[in-house]
Amino acid sequence: MSVTQQQVLDSLARIKSPRGVALPNANVLSAISASDGKVFFSINVDAAEARAWESVRAEAEAAVRAIPGATTVMVALTAERKPGSAPPPPPTPSRGTPGVQPVHAHKPPQGGGSPMARQSEIPGVAAVIAVASGKGGVGKSTTALNLALGLRDLGLKVGLLDADIYGPSVPRLTGLRDKPELDGERKMIPLRRFGLAIMSIGFLVEEETAMIWRGPMVMSAVTQMLRDVAWGSLDVLVVDMPPGTGDAQLTLAQNVPLKGAVIVSTPQDLSLIDARRGLAMFRKVNVPVLGIVENMSYFQCPHCGTKSDIFGHGGARHEAEKLGVPFLGEIPLHMAIRATSDAGNPVVDSEPDGPHAAIYRAIAGQVRDQLKGAIAAA
């Protein structure tokens, strides 16, 4: 049974805004995406009113989840300060005025506090690590998947979360096209292939769908894929991050105590500059950097065996030494890695005895050794 946009609007008509207006008439709803039981939309309000709207967002999400046929529901609250607007004035005492208090009366808790105070472990998952890059196009997703498979080959129970909201690659890299089902607690059951538990936003939307989402909706999606998935018992959850240093990275760091991050870069200076920024971001939020991987490190001609440094060579190793972090290894630019990735049969699984699988397993071994304490304690 499919859910329609009209059903969503009908269910939201029973939800009132802080001023008592039916939600569909409050001029705050984004376009509603409803397909195959999956519903996504956001509630867009002024930043000064955000705290007064949080309970409305929760009620809206619960109402849509109650629609027969709704399997996955994601409602984000986006809050932006209007140009030229001043911060809300201090609250004035109310003398028994009926109805909802003015929105500026909804103040955040005093005393500040670190955003990292919201961190909590994912039940059953011993260690969460991020695979990140400062820029796109450096082979981060291919590295993340083959690293996960290398950890699997070392005897660990491994999951893979594709948190690249704008450009999810894992469905293509794994050849998975199924939709996740829900368990008895209405948590998504990750798909399984290659002995991995796998989840991606790409399983929930069509491949051609453009993900035009504001930051808060990205943060909501990352949180839901961390918390609303039945991961089971895992030694390591590998998270394939979007490129850059934005909302998704901060959401992950603030939600779970990351045990480390792997930075993927190519050898040329432009990529290394961005990798440096990514490394600095993880250090700023107190996430250990497990090391740097140099991808597309060199090209070896399959006919004559000559090595060519197409993008330069050794830049990532030099950068790791300069920054005082481990250098995890060099992965060549090779057609076998590209072809197996495009075919949905990653090289560590499809050519387990080949030289490329050995490189990924060696990198995985160094990562595992740095995570031994966390895995053993679980």
Side-chain angles (χ1 to χ4, degrees):
M1 181 185 299
S2 184
V3 178
T4 67
Q5 290 185 357
Q6 190 58 52
Q7 285 177 297
V8 175
L9 289 171
D10 290 344
S11 71
L12 295 177
R14 300 189 293 272
I15 309 299
K16 303 294 184 184
S17 78
R19 294 186 177 85
V21 180
L23 198 53
N25 300 326
N27 198 30
V28 294
L29 295 180
S30 72
I32 296 171
S33 172
S35 175
D36 297 327
K38 299 178 290 294
V39 181
F40 307 99
F41 64 92
S42 62
I43 300 173
N44 308 311
V45 302
D46 185 71
E49 305 181 358
R51 292 191 66 81
W53 279 87
E54 177 51 38
S55 61
V56 177
R57 185 211 66 79
E59 289 180 44
E61 188 168 283
V64 177
R65 286 184 187 275
I67 299 174
T71 57
T72 303
V73 178
M74 192 178 297
V75 180
L77 180 65
T78 65
E80 295 182 276
R81 191 171 302 286
K82 293 177 181 177
S85 65
T92 55
S94 174
R95 298 181 179 274
T97 304
V100 179
Q101 288 184 324
V103 291
H104 62 247
H106 295 263
K107 297 198 305 178
Q110 300 301 304
S114 168
M116 302 304 162
R118 298 198 299 268
Q119 288 181 338
S120 61
E121 304 279 357
I122 300 175
V125 178
V128 181
I129 65 171
V131 177
S133 64
K135 63 182 295 182
V138 300
K140 167 186 54 62
S141 295
T142 299
T143 303
L145 175 55
N146 282 293
L147 170 61
L149 292 170
L151 291 167
R152 174 208 66 181
D153 288 350
L154 297 174
L156 302 180
K157 292 178 288 185
V158 184
L160 176 66
L161 170 58
D162 180 3
D164 192 347
I165 301 298
Y166 296 116
S169 302
V170 165
R172 171 75 58 157
L173 294 173
T174 59
L176 290 170
R177 296 291 183 271
D178 298 331
K179 308 297 182 187
E181 298 179 352
L182 300 183
D183 65 8
E185 297 179 352
R186 297 190 66 80
K187 287 192 172 186
M188 290 180 284
I189 302 171
L191 304 183
R192 297 200 68 88
R193 196 172 184 205
F194 314 120
L196 305 176
I198 304 171
M199 178 55 64
S200 169
I201 193 71
F203 298 151
L204 307 176
V205 298
E206 299 303 321
E207 191 173 53
E208 297 81 12
T209 300
M211 306 296 282
I212 308 172
W213 286 2
R214 297 175 185 268
M217 201 159 186
V218 172
M219 294 160 69
S220 178
V222 172
T223 301
Q224 188 163 359
M225 288 194 295
L226 284 169
R227 300 291 177 192
D228 291 349
V229 173
W231 288 110
S233 177
L234 297 177
D235 294 311
V236 184
L237 176 61
V238 177
V239 182
D240 176 21
M241 300 300 301
T245 55
D247 293 312
Q249 288 82 358
L250 290 174
T251 298
L252 182 67
Q254 291 173 3
N255 263 273
V256 296
L258 284 171
K259 297 301 187 290
V262 173
I263 308 294
V264 181
S265 178
T266 50
Q268 74 265 42
D269 291 342
L270 281 176
S271 180
L272 289 168
I273 290 170
D274 292 314
R276 210 173 295 139
R277 293 193 186 103
L279 189 149
M281 184 210 70
F282 282 114
R283 282 182 163 170
K284 185 169 289 188
V285 293
N286 298 317
V287 173
V289 176
L290 302 174
I292 299 177
V293 172
E294 184 170 279
N295 198 31
M296 308 182 201
S297 182
Y298 56 87
F299 172 74
Q300 186 165 12
C301 176
H303 305 294
C304 67
T306 302
K307 281 188 177 182
S308 300
D309 297 333
I310 295 176
F311 299 114
H313 183 261
R317 181 189 294 275
H318 175 71
E319 196 67 29
E321 292 172 352
K322 186 169 72 173
L323 297 172
V325 299
F327 178 69
L328 298 176
E330 301 173 347
I331 301 170
L333 178 65
H334 198 280
M335 286 188 292
I337 298 175
R338 193 275 307 164
T340 56
S341 297
D342 285 351
N345 290 297
V347 70
V348 171
D349 196 79
S350 59
E351 300 179 12
D353 298 323
H356 306 120
I359 294 171
Y360 284 114
R361 276 195 293 269
I363 293 171
Q366 295 179 69
V367 171
R368 177 204 55 190
D369 291 345
Q370 295 186 66
L371 298 175
K372 276 184 177 177
I375 297 170

